[in-house]
Amino acid sequence: MADVARAAGVSHQTVSRVLNGHPNVRPATRAKVLAAIERLGYRRNQVARALATRDSRTLGVISFDTTLYGPASTLHGIERAARAAGYFVSIVSLRTIDRDGVREAIDHLAEQGVAGVVVVAPQRSAASALEDLPPGMPAVAVEGAHTGPVSTVCVDQVAGARLATEHLLALGHETVWHVSGPPDWLEAEGRVAGWRAALEAAGRPVPEPLEGDWSPRSGYAAGRRLAALAGEVGAVFVANDQMALGVLRALAEAGVRVPEEMSVVGFDDVPESEFFSPPLTTVRQDFGAVGRHSLDVLMRQIAERDTTRHERIVVPPALVPRASTAPPAGGPHTGPPASLET
């Protein structure tokens, strides 16, 4: 910075003001400083800056299984929001989220002097792990439905499942079957709860859910079982688009036409869903809004130096109707739900 100041003929305080965007710098002076910075190839020493200001301008993110669309999109939304706020992101990706794993990740990030931590924690096992956050550490949990000593930001999974189920009921289907996610995932719990609540509120039969693991393969297995009951099953809500892809494949192989003989709704609105055959009706999650709200919560904790006020922000989902849903061809099906016992 002293070299830049000498080259521009100004004080190092003026260089600092230019670098920090201070308004009280004349345009001609700012232009001289910026020209000197460019000519000398000056770059800030972030380590030295962090030591001087006690602000690393770095946020820690603890994530899990970023190969799945939801966690990966959440992570991307957080990174974009952090960059917009002028922060770097240091990511620790865990194979499984448990107390020991989260504790080690937090210790690792604390050693780097991060200003705060975002935990992408979609599994129930993560809820207890978040109790181990160091006192005074600014933190926010993303995804799921956490309660406890940490602020949370999540998409309203219950509302999204209700949107999907009510859409199918409004088309005239007597009931809606469900292919669920793994039972230890908070999102899967929320989607089952919303689906069940919509059916019960309408006084409709509630079939036993078919359990999947988020993968197309598990959706394909569920789709084969549904295809065998095609005369009794008219509509199905699948807990994510990847499993819905497997369901569509199984139904097509069995000669079950979608949506003429069975309507299918997914969840997530992955970029490929509009190119499925047929294009998939689904529920969209606003991961960009999740990222922005997460950073807003974290920035408030950092600025106010207050980690005792715990916020909960819920982002609304949206239904995206496409060609995979339609009214039942023969009118509403009124028979009781069949058993899926094998």
Side-chain angles (χ1 to χ4, degrees), residues 11-91:
S11 68
H12 75 271
Q13 291 92 340
T14 298
V15 175
S16 178
R17 283 194 288 270
V18 171
L19 290 170
N20 289 296
H22 199 284
N24 295 333
V25 179
R26 290 185 301 170
T29 301
R30 186 183 306 276
K32 283 198 302 181
V33 171
L34 292 175
I37 287 172
E38 179 68 22
R39 186 168 66 254
L40 297 176
Y42 170 77
R43 297 292 181 271
R44 282 185 172 185
N45 185 324
Q46 293 295 337
V47 175
R49 184 180 186 277
L51 290 171
T53 64
R54 296 185 180 182
D55 182 0
S56 66
R57 305 301 292 179
T58 301
L59 302 176
V61 178
I62 302 172
S63 186
F64 163 77
D65 198 353
T66 51
T67 60
L68 291 172
Y69 179 76
S73 299
T74 301
L75 181 59
H76 181 57
I78 292 167
E79 286 185 295
R80 284 193 302 174
R83 286 198 302 271
Y87 278 78
F88 298 98
V89 173
S90 180
I91 300 170

Side-chain angles (χ1 to χ4, degrees), residues 108-199:
H108 173 74
L109 292 169
E111 289 174 0
Q112 296 182 21
V114 297
V117 174
V118 180
V119 184
V120 182
Q123 288 183 295
R124 181 158 295 284
S125 58
S128 60
L130 295 175
E131 297 173 4
D132 291 333
L133 287 168
M137 168 73 80
V140 58
V142 179
E143 294 192 14
H146 300 287
T147 58
V150 64
S151 295
T152 61
V153 178
C154 62
V155 174
D156 193 334
Q157 308 295 332
V158 174
R162 292 194 71 135
L163 284 173
T165 307
E166 290 168 356
H167 167 70
L168 291 165
L169 295 178
L171 289 172
H173 295 282
E174 175 63 17
T175 191
V176 178
W177 294 68
H178 182 46
V179 180
S180 71
D184 58 329
W185 283 66
L186 292 161
E187 292 169 322
E189 288 183 13
R191 293 170 199 179
V192 169
W195 161 77
R196 189 182 301 277
L199 291 179

